[in-house]
Amino acid sequence: MGFVAFGDRCENGFVRDILRVLALAGVAAGMAGCKSVPPPTPLSELNAQQMRGHGVYQAKCAICHYDRQTGSLHGPSLLGMYKKPALPSGAAATDERVTATVLRGRNMMPAMGNTMDQQDLDDLLAYLHTL
Ligand code: HEC
C-alpha cells in the first residue's frame, strides 16, 4: 500500500517535477528525479517535539491535508513538502513561507494564527520536516 502510493507519486509527479525543476534551473535535483525524495520518518522514530507536532497536525491540518500519502484532500498532500523543490504554489518550501501560510491562510485555506501558540507552531514545523 505504501509502495503503491510511492509509485503513484513518482509517476504523477515526474513531468510536473521536470517542469518545475527547469523553471527553477535546479538541474542537479532534476537528474536525481523522484527517487531523490526519501520516505517520511516512521512515527515510531519521531522525537518528543516531532510527536507533539504530529498531534498539532492531526488537530489542525489532517482534516484538509494528507501527511503520509499522496493526493489532495481539501488541500495538497504535505508528504515530502520540504524535500521537493517548491510548494504547490511554486513558493520556496521554507519555514517562513509555511508559517505565513498557517498564520494568515491562503485562498481556501483558513488563517489559523489565533488557534496556535508559538510552541504549537514550532512543534508542527518539526513534524512537517519529517514527512
Ligand atoms: C480547511 C482546510 C485546510 C486546513 C484546516 C489546512 N489547510 Fe493547508 N491548504 C488548504 C488549501 C485548500 C490549500 C491550497 C491553497 C491554494 O494554494 O489555493 C492549502 C495549502 C497549504 C500549503 C501549500 C501552500 C503553498 O504555498 O503552496 C501548505 C504548506 C499548507 N496548506 C499547510 C497546512 C498546515 C500545516 C495546516 C495545519 C496547521 C493546514 N494547511 C491546514 C486547506 C487547508
Side-chain angles (χ1 to χ4, degrees):
M1 154 72 182
F3 229 38
V4 172
F6 192 71
D8 285 350
R9 171 162 49 130
C10 287
E11 274 170 39
N12 295 340
F14 192 61
V15 172
R16 194 190 52 212
D17 283 350
I18 295 261
L19 292 174
R20 205 180 262 161
V21 162
L22 287 176
L24 295 169
V27 177
M31 304 296 279
C34 62
K35 290 190 176 72
S36 68
V37 179
T41 309
L43 286 178
S44 59
E45 292 175 22
L46 299 187
N47 67 28
Q49 180 178 36
Q50 292 160 350
M51 265 327 278
R52 284 196 303 272
H54 177 250
V56 176
Y57 158 80
Q58 294 220 294
K60 307 285 185 188
C61 321
I63 193 170
C64 293
H65 294 279
Y66 291 126
D67 58 346
R68 290 171 182 274
Q69 67 181 80
T70 54
S72 293
L73 207 48
H74 297 296
S77 173
L78 304 180
L79 180 63
M81 58 180 272
Y82 281 112
K83 297 169 184 165
K84 293 177 182 171
L87 293 170
S89 64
T94 62
D95 285 348
E96 289 71 26
R97 174 66 189 215
V98 173
T99 299
T101 303
V102 171
L103 295 184
R104 292 190 228 129
R106 175 182 167 77
N107 297 328
M108 296 299 288
M109 176 168 157
M112 282 173 279
N114 296 333
T115 72
M116 261 185 262
D117 62 20
Q118 187 64 44
Q119 188 66 57
D120 291 341
L121 198 52
D122 290 347
D123 296 348
L124 175 64
L125 292 181
Y127 175 63
L128 296 178
H129 275 280
T130 71
L131 296 179

